[in-house]
Amino acid sequence: MFWLASQGADVFIPLGTHPDCDLLADWGDRIDRVQVKTSGFWRNGRWEVRVSTSGGNQSWNGIVKYMDPSRCDRLFVHVGDGRRWFIPSTSLGGRSGILLGGPRYAQFEVDPGHPLPHRASAEALVER
């Protein structure tokens, strides 16, 4: 939200649970439906980002929603080292996941950002 506002957008959160977008960014001449994802999964020199959705926070109803450009206009991604991307949904190459940090989406990287907070592992929490 902060990044979108710093770029000149008025940012709105849809009321209730909206399955296709997390934010609306009003740029004055257009409104972008924005899906927001985070990832802390680094493998083989790339950030793996899941862009499909399976169920909700409490249970899985068996329905998988794949990324579809007809349901959102942009994907905003914030990864573990703080880097951020603002990708047009029509430029996405994966329906269920994408890899960031290489040349494919480099033109859409917008900000080195701030690292995501480290989540302690289950083992570390037990030790406390």
Side-chain angles (χ1 to χ4, degrees), residues 55-111:
N57 292 335
Q58 300 300 316
S59 64
W60 186 51
N61 59 8
I63 298 173
V64 175
K65 286 196 169 190
Y66 295 102
M67 180 58 75
D68 180 347
S70 70
R71 295 194 330 252
C72 84
D73 304 302
R74 299 278 183 152
L75 176 68
F76 184 88
V77 182
H78 189 178
V79 298
D81 67 358
R83 295 163 67 189
R84 302 173 194 186
W85 287 261
F86 194 51
I87 307 169
S89 59
T90 55
S91 296
L92 292 170
R95 290 180 51 208
S96 60
I98 59 173
L99 298 174
L100 296 176
R104 181 170 190 164
Y105 298 105
Q107 66 181 335
F108 303 115
E109 188 170 353
V110 294
D111 190 10

Side-chain angles (χ1 to χ4, degrees), residues 37-42 47-50 57 78-81 115-126 128:
K37 299 291 183 184
T38 60
S39 177
F41 193 62
W42 176 260
W47 292 100
E48 293 188 17
V49 182
R50 184 171 177 196
N57 292 335
H78 189 178
V79 298
D81 67 358
L116 292 172
H118 177 70
R119 287 194 281 181
S121 67
E123 294 82 20
L125 292 174
V126 170
R128 291 183 188 177

